[in-house]
Amino acid sequence: AQSVTQLGSHVSVSEGALVLLRCNYSSSVPPYLFWYVQYPNQGLQLLLKYTSAATLVKGINGFEAEFKKSETSFHLTKPSAHMSDAAEYFCAVGSGFQKLVFGTGTRLLVSP
Amino acid sequence: DGGITQSPKYLFRKEGQNVTLSCEQNLNHDAMYWYRQDPGQGLRLIYYSQIVNDFQKGDIAEGYSVSREKKESFPLTVTSAQKNPTAFYLCASSIASGSGEDTQYFGPGTRLTVL
C-alpha cells in the first residue's frame, strides 16, 4: 500500500525566509507525487506534480520540489516566504485507478 | 470558465436526517471523487466514480451513498447511519487514464455541521 508522511503539522517562518515542507512517501511502484495548497475554507489547488519527467519540479507561486528516490522524499521549497503563502499544504501519492493518498497536511505560518 | 461547483457552502443537519451535497463539473472529466476532511487527518476518500452509472467505495464509505447518473454530477448523501458527519466535504474530478498520475481538481467544499 502507498502512504505519505508529512513531518511537522505546523511550520513557522518569517517573511523572506526559506520555506521547507517535508514529505516522505512509501510506494512499491514508481510514484506519482503531488503537492496541493489549501487556503481557509476553500478547496485544494495543485501546486506541482512529479511524473518522472524531471526530478526537480517547478510549480506555481515560486514553489518547487525535488524527487529523491534514495531518500523516498519529495520536499517542497520556496526561497523567500510571502505573507500570502500562509495556508495548509498537502502532499499526496498517486496509486492505481486514479486514487490519491494524502498526507495529514502541514500548516505554514508566515510572520512579518 | 471550467470548474467544479459544490453546494451549499454551509449545511446544518439535525441528528437523524439525511442530507445531500451537490457536486457539478463542466471539465468533461470521467472520474469524480468525494473526500472528507477533518482537522489533523488530511483527506479521506469516501466514494469515487470512473464512469457514469458506476462507482466504488473508498476508505470510509459507511454511512454515505452516491449516484452517478450524469457525467457532470456526483451527489453525495450523508445518511443518518453516519455517526459523526460534522466535517468539511470536498468533491474532485479528473480524467480517467487508469494510472495514478491524473491531476485531481477540487471544488470549494461544503461544511456540514450536525446540530
Side-chain angles (χ1 to χ4, degrees):
Chain A
Q2 294 173 303
S3 66
V4 169
T5 301
Q6 291 186 243
L7 295 176
S9 59
H10 292 80
V11 170
S12 295
V13 300
S14 299
E15 193 172 20
L18 172 71
V19 175
L20 171 60
L21 304 181
R22 299 179 186 275
C23 173
N24 288 89
Y25 69 91
S26 172
S27 176
S28 58
V29 297
Y32 300 106
L33 295 160
F34 303 76
W35 274 102
Y36 283 87
V37 61
Q38 183 181 35
Y39 298 99
N41 292 312
Q42 294 186 25
L44 275 66
Q45 179 184 5
L46 180 71
L47 277 176
L48 50 83
K49 73 175 184 180
Y50 167 75
T51 59
S52 78
T55 56
L56 183 63
V57 183
K58 294 187 182 299
I60 62 171
N61 301 337
F63 285 93
E64 63 182 36
E66 186 173 9
F67 173 72
K68 292 187 176 181
K69 184 177 179 180
S70 61
E71 299 178 7
T72 61
S73 69
F74 191 56
H75 302 330
L76 183 70
T77 61
K78 182 175 180 178
S80 177
H82 192 272
M83 296 295 290
S84 61
D85 295 326
E88 190 153 22
Y89 293 79
F90 292 93
C91 183
V93 59
S95 63
F97 303 103
Q98 296 96 263
K99 292 175 68 176
L100 284 182
V101 176
F102 286 86
T104 52
T106 298
R107 185 168 298 279
L108 177 64
L109 307 170
V110 183
S111 57
Chain B
D1 286 341
I4 302 175
T5 57
Q6 292 186 242
S7 61
K9 187 170 179 62
Y10 299 96
L11 185 58
F12 297 91
R13 190 194 93 170
K14 294 182 179 179
E15 286 195 21
Q17 285 183 335
N18 293 354
V19 291
T20 297
L21 283 58
S22 170
C23 177
E24 303 276 336
Q25 56 98 0
N26 61 4
L27 299 169
N28 200 33
H29 287 162
D30 284 309
M32 297 187 73
Y33 315 80
W34 274 105
Y35 292 92
R36 170 179 172 142
Q37 185 178 18
D38 296 281
Q41 296 192 46
L43 278 71
R44 293 180 290 169
L45 183 65
I46 304 173
Y47 269 99
Y48 64 104
S49 168
Q50 296 171 273
I51 197 169
V52 174
N53 293 322
D54 187 47
F55 48 83
Q56 288 79 40
K57 293 182 179 179
D59 302 318
I60 56 165
E62 185 176 352
Y64 300 97
S65 66
V66 294
S67 63
R68 187 84 188 276
E69 297 176 0
K70 298 187 302 182
K71 186 176 183 177
E72 302 80 16
S73 178
F74 192 40
L76 173 73
T77 296
V78 184
T79 75
S80 57
Q82 170 51 236
K83 299 305 180 188
N84 184 23
T86 294
F88 191 51
Y89 290 87
L90 288 160
C91 178
S93 71
S94 75
I95 64 173
S97 71
S99 73
E101 71 172 295
D102 300 327
T103 298
Q104 291 187 17
Y105 296 88
F106 285 80
T110 292
R111 187 166 296 281
L112 173 63
T113 302
V114 174
L115 303 175

